[in-house]
Amino acid sequence: MSIARGFSKAEFAARTRHAQQLMAERGLGALLVCTEPEVRYFTGFLTPFWQSPTRPWFLIVPPTGKPIAVIPEIGVPLMATTWLDDIRHWPSPRPEDDGVSLLIETLTDIGASHGNIGLPMGPETVLRMPLNDYQRLRAHLCDATFVDATDIIRTLRMVKSEAEIAKLADICRIVSNGFAAVPANVHAGDRLCDVFAAFRTDLIGRGADEVPYLIGAAAPGGYDNIIAPPRDAPLAAGDLLMMDTGATRDGYFSDFDRNFAIGFADDATRRAYDTLFAATEAGLAAAHPGATCADLFNAMGRVIADAGYQIGNAGRFGHGLGMQLTEWPSLRAADRTVLAPGMVLTLEPSLSTGPGRGMVHEENIVIRVNGPQLISQRAAPKLPVINP
Amino acid sequence: MSIARGFSKAEFAARTRHAQQLMAERGLGALLVCTEPEVRYFTGFLTPFWQSPTRPWFLIVPPTGKPIAVIPEIGVPLMATTWLDDIRHWPSPRPEDDGVSLLIETLTDIGASHGNIGLPMGPETVLRMPLNDYQRLRAHLCDATFVDATDIIRTLRMVKSEAEIAKLADICRIVSNGFAAVPANVHAGDRLCDVFAAFRTDLIGRGADEVPYLIGAAAPGGYDNIIAPPRDAPLAAGDLLMMDTGATRDGYFSDFDRNFAIGFADDATRRAYDTLFAATEAGLAAAHPGATCADLFNAMGRVIADAGYQIGNAGRFGHGLGMQLTEWPSLRAADRTVLAPGMVLTLEPSLSTGPGRGMVHEENIVIRVNGPQLISQRAAPKLPVINP
């Protein structure tokens, strides 16, 4: 059985207070967010309606008190089920003024029309409102300064609460069980697209709400493409099959993959697998509070280089995990972020097995005081062979 | 059986030529896009990897010739399978310069560093790159002017090709068959979340690739919330059950709902259903080339008002449909967009059945020379009752 849905009001209050502390340090009169994870982080507002690009949504964190929602009318009933008290709305879509004047009015109401308004503008952020509307907002609030608040959001979201960790562990458990059942359900001759559809269905049956991310490939000796949807081609003996999935439950993601040999595996493929397994072990050994992302990258990279491989083309060996498939930080050589208890990360070493071919392993972990806690069930130490 | 995946090169070439005609009319030296549907529209680049917010992706349409991709290294193998020839890449993530200098170099190469660069900035668009990077781009290209190119993208994407219509009809057929099977599979006492999971699984079994959007509710006499994920509560006799889904195949969406009564329906609920069925009929009768979105809104609204109901809170009675769940235009009183053959729309009238309660119907149509072509199987004329 999966854990209960949602979060306590205390959880949202604590997130908001933490934001307000950081806002005070930075001298912000308001924090403005317009993206799904950020609105949800402060409210619990969970809906797939964000699939529709038509309407902008805004949330304002004032210096004290609860956040204020400035949202399309269609979202009011759902937002009213959250802990918020102040929900302002307009009849959207209304392209001629899609919330801009209501946003200006609300920011003015809370005294933020003079001073600094924080908005995420940095790496891994997007502006989910029309650029023209943002310019209009700035022009009308000419006595306010919009400043980059990426560091505030990053600081908050990068370290998970125990309630968030429980949700991440829950979906990782579901997906681990799903991967464990793959060998019994997959056969040479199966079309890759059918294998994927069956895996997707199996995960839903096990309690995943959605499977927004499912990619993979099958090819002898390594795959050439780790972000493609499945092809119709049938699995052949000697193929290395990889499936990588980001499934969600209650809005929190898993993100890990598994590799399987179909029928048999040659020595080179087994050796690449062993190398990535060892690289992940090195990543686990290094994943202690106080280490940096660069330390983890280097620990994994050393194993790969020592075995004589080039690294893969992903640009990093893992990343944060939470309400999004990938979050801050990146496990890369230039990232000096210091690991802290409560961070949830993927370890994702990859290597090249030849021109245009490669292999990738991935696990999901929580950084604890004494080291890493695996929340994905560790991959098999030796490459599993299906129908040997 | 579903239709073949992908599009011909001629399709992408035609889309690009059309863009270039509009660019020439507008005096643009380049069109820059950074969002999933736009990159896919010009290339066929289809991947769920956009779930990761970490890396920006860019596509430049030059005044002549094929588009140029400026993308993270991880995407090169997949982009190399498209019709593009010029694929430039950088080792992303690299927050200190995540493609910005490569983008500047490429725009300079094609002679766009002086003059107008089009970028979508208007309604229903977002800037999928960090705002700071956009400012850096503008600062470096100080002799170029970034102008709003929303109208170009809107003009292109609002009218679908026959190949696109075939994909939309395909997923609508799959979902129509899925809805037809609901009455046999749903019973009073089933938990709403389980009904949703079974429906999701059923759609995948019928050929849907993904079900990114599935919402709904069940309550007596109308539901209060049309964008919420399902609750755990069991269905009770007398509930009105609504499920609304946006499923995809090959990257194209369906978007329609169906209503069912559990066990029995009272007269008021039947009357509301009849009214929305009649409103949709009025929308169909009005959906001819030359009519405006406002005409469709008014045709449907008149039926609802004549029956004595207030309209729902969605702000419109339908919208465009394609690579996104909702696209331009909106069926609203103020939208004077003229319908043209090849537009694919939803008709989505809604009404209030009491304080905080309502009902919504939805169908998917193609505008043809002689009128609308339904691509969703028309809802039953009378409210279906499950296990009467």
Side-chain angles (χ1 to χ4, degrees):
Chain A
M1 272 302 282
S2 283
I3 60 173
R5 290 181 182 272
F7 292 102
S8 68
K9 289 188 184 184
E11 171 92 10
F12 296 115
R15 295 175 184 180
T16 302
R17 273 198 311 273
H18 191 183
Q20 288 165 336
Q21 284 165 13
L22 298 171
M23 287 166 61
E25 288 170 18
R26 290 279 307 275
L28 299 188
L31 174 65
L32 173 64
V33 295
C34 54
T35 38
E36 192 276 339
E38 280 66 38
V39 171
R40 176 153 55 101
Y41 184 79
F42 289 113
T43 64
F45 185 77
L46 177 63
T47 168
F49 197 69
W50 295 87
Q51 285 287 335
S52 168
T54 301
R55 301 172 185 81
W57 302 72
F58 305 105
L59 191 83
I60 298 167
V61 182
T64 58
K66 294 184 183 182
I68 302 165
V70 179
I71 61 172
E73 191 181 358
I74 195 172
V76 172
L78 184 59
M79 191 62 87
T81 66
T82 73
W83 76 304
L84 296 202
D85 300 322
D86 191 349
I87 301 166
R88 306 183 188 197
H89 56 90
W90 79 96
S92 184
R94 191 176 63 189
E96 59 277 19
D97 177 15
D98 237 341
V100 175
S101 56
L102 186 58
L103 193 54
I104 292 166
E105 191 184 305
T106 309
L107 287 163
T108 304
D109 275 1
I110 66 163
S113 57
H114 295 64
N116 293 326
I117 299 172
L119 178 74
M121 303 178 183
E124 313 212 12
T125 73
V126 303
L127 182 72
R128 195 191 179 280
M129 68 184 289
L131 199 49
N132 284 342
D133 284 357
Y134 174 62
Q135 302 299 0
R136 208 171 298 159
L137 187 66
R138 287 184 60 175
H140 276 87
L141 293 169
C142 51
D143 294 322
T145 307
F146 284 80
V147 299
D148 183 11
T150 305
D151 60 335
I152 293 178
I153 298 295
R154 187 180 192 272
T155 299
L156 287 169
R157 287 189 47 206
M158 206 157 53
V159 175
K160 271 68 180 177
S161 69
E162 289 302 323
E164 289 184 288
I165 291 169
K167 293 198 185 291
L168 290 160
D170 199 29
I171 186 63
C172 285
R173 175 187 59 76
I174 290 167
V175 175
S176 293
N177 292 340
F179 274 128
V182 164
N185 295 326
V186 172
H187 306 86
D190 290 352
R191 296 192 312 165
L192 193 54
C193 56
D194 295 332
V195 170
F196 273 55
F199 185 64
R200 194 183 285 274
T201 295
D202 180 74
L203 293 179
I204 293 167
R206 293 176 190 276
D209 291 331
E210 300 186 45
V211 187
Y213 188 71
L214 178 56
I215 55 88
Y223 22 84
D224 63 346
N225 194 331
I226 59 167
I227 65 168
R231 283 172 287 199
D232 290 351
L235 292 172
D239 276 352
L240 178 69
L241 166 67
M242 185 273 284
M243 295 198 288
D244 184 3
T245 189
T248 61
R249 186 175 166 88
D250 213 19
Y252 281 75
F253 269 95
S254 69
D255 180 20
F256 59 99
D257 77 344
R258 288 296 175 257
N259 288 272
F260 306 93
I262 305 299
F264 67 90
D266 60 22
D267 288 348
T269 305
R270 290 183 192 278
R271 186 167 166 270
Y273 187 98
D274 293 345
T275 302
L276 288 176
F277 189 88
T280 307
E281 289 294 304
L284 288 167
H288 285 256
T292 64
C293 289
D295 292 337
L296 265 65
F297 178 87
N298 291 331
M300 291 185 272
R302 202 171 302 123
V303 173
I304 293 168
D306 286 353
Y309 292 102
Q310 300 284 318
I311 67 172
N313 69 354
R316 58 184 180 179
F317 282 160
H319 50 79
L321 178 69
M323 292 190 290
Q324 287 170 293
L325 178 72
T326 78
E327 298 188 352
W328 304 284
S330 286
L331 303 187
R332 49 193 290 271
D335 195 317
R336 304 287 160 187
T337 306
V338 176
L339 303 190
M343 285 187 181
V344 178
L345 301 174
T346 74
L347 298 180
E348 189 176 12
S350 60
L351 55 76
S352 169
T353 57
R357 289 183 305 159
M359 191 186 296
V360 57
H361 281 206
E362 193 167 16
E363 301 286 2
N364 296 167
I365 65 172
V366 185
I367 303 298
R368 297 294 193 184
V369 174
N370 297 318
Q373 173 197 345
L374 274 163
I375 54 174
S376 54
Q377 186 186 309
R378 187 76 174 98
K382 294 291 171 186
L383 175 58
V385 180
I386 292 177
N387 299 316
Chain B
M1 271 301 282
S2 282
I3 59 173
R5 291 181 181 272
F7 292 102
S8 68
K9 289 187 183 184
E11 171 92 10
F12 296 114
R15 294 176 184 179
T16 301
R17 274 197 310 274
H18 192 183
Q20 288 165 336
Q21 284 165 13
L22 298 171
M23 287 166 61
E25 288 169 18
R26 290 279 306 276
L28 300 188
L31 173 66
L32 173 64
V33 295
C34 54
T35 37
E36 193 275 340
E38 279 67 38
V39 171
R40 175 152 57 99
Y41 184 78
F42 290 113
T43 64
F45 185 77
L46 176 63
T47 169
F49 196 70
W50 294 87
Q51 284 287 336
S52 168
T54 300
R55 301 172 185 82
W57 301 72
F58 305 105
L59 191 83
I60 299 167
V61 181
T64 59
K66 294 183 182 181
I68 301 166
V70 180
I71 61 171
E73 191 180 358
I74 195 171
V76 173
L78 184 59
M79 192 62 86
T81 66
T82 72
W83 76 304
L84 295 202
D85 300 322
D86 191 350
I87 300 166
R88 306 184 187 196
H89 56 90
W90 78 97
S92 183
R94 191 176 63 189
E96 59 278 18
D97 177 16
D98 238 341
V100 175
S101 56
L102 186 59
L103 193 53
I104 292 166
E105 190 184 305
T106 310
L107 286 164
T108 304
D109 274 1
I110 66 162
S113 57
H114 294 65
N116 292 325
I117 299 173
L119 178 75
M121 304 178 182
E124 312 211 12
T125 73
V126 303
L127 183 71
R128 197 191 178 278
M129 67 185 288
L131 199 48
N132 285 341
D133 285 357
Y134 174 62
Q135 301 300 359
R136 208 171 299 161
L137 187 66
R138 287 184 60 174
H140 277 85
L141 293 169
C142 52
D143 293 323
T145 306
F146 284 80
V147 299
D148 183 11
T150 305
D151 59 335
I152 293 178
I153 298 294
R154 187 180 193 272
T155 299
L156 287 169
R157 288 189 45 207
M158 206 158 52
V159 175
K160 272 68 179 176
S161 69
E162 288 303 322
E164 289 184 289
I165 291 169
K167 294 200 184 289
L168 290 160
D170 198 30
I171 185 64
C172 285
R173 175 187 60 77
I174 289 167
V175 175
S176 293
N177 291 340
F179 274 128
V182 164
N185 295 327
V186 172
H187 308 87
D190 289 352
R191 297 192 310 165
L192 192 54
C193 55
D194 295 331
V195 170
F196 273 56
F199 185 63
R200 193 182 288 273
T201 295
D202 180 73
L203 293 180
I204 292 167
R206 292 176 190 277
D209 291 331
E210 300 185 45
V211 188
Y213 188 72
L214 177 57
I215 56 86
Y223 22 83
D224 63 346
N225 194 330
I226 59 166
I227 66 168
R231 283 172 288 198
D232 290 350
L235 292 173
D239 276 351
L240 178 68
L241 166 66
M242 184 275 283
M243 295 198 287
D244 184 1
T245 190
T248 61
R249 185 174 166 91
D250 212 18
Y252 280 75
F253 269 95
S254 70
D255 180 21
F256 59 98
D257 77 344
R258 288 297 176 257
N259 289 270
F260 305 94
I262 305 300
F264 67 90
D266 60 22
D267 288 348
T269 304
R270 291 183 191 277
R271 187 169 165 269
Y273 187 99
D274 293 346
T275 301
L276 288 176
F277 189 88
T280 307
E281 290 293 304
L284 288 167
H288 285 256
T292 65
C293 289
D295 292 338
L296 265 65
F297 177 87
N298 291 330
M300 291 185 271
R302 201 171 302 122
V303 173
I304 293 168
D306 286 353
Y309 293 101
Q310 300 285 318
I311 68 172
N313 68 355
R316 57 184 181 179
F317 282 160
H319 50 78
L321 178 69
M323 292 190 289
Q324 288 171 292
L325 178 72
T326 78
E327 299 188 352
W328 304 284
S330 286
L331 303 186
R332 49 193 290 273
D335 194 318
R336 303 290 161 186
T337 306
V338 176
L339 303 190
M343 286 186 181
V344 178
L345 301 174
T346 74
L347 298 180
E348 190 176 12
S350 60
L351 55 76
S352 169
T353 57
R357 289 182 305 159
M359 192 187 295
V360 57
H361 281 205
E362 192 167 16
E363 301 286 1
N364 297 167
I365 64 171
V366 185
I367 304 297
R368 297 295 192 182
V369 174
N370 298 318
Q373 174 197 346
L374 274 162
I375 54 174
S376 54
Q377 187 184 311
R378 187 77 174 95
K382 294 292 172 185
L383 175 59
V385 181
I386 291 177
N387 300 317

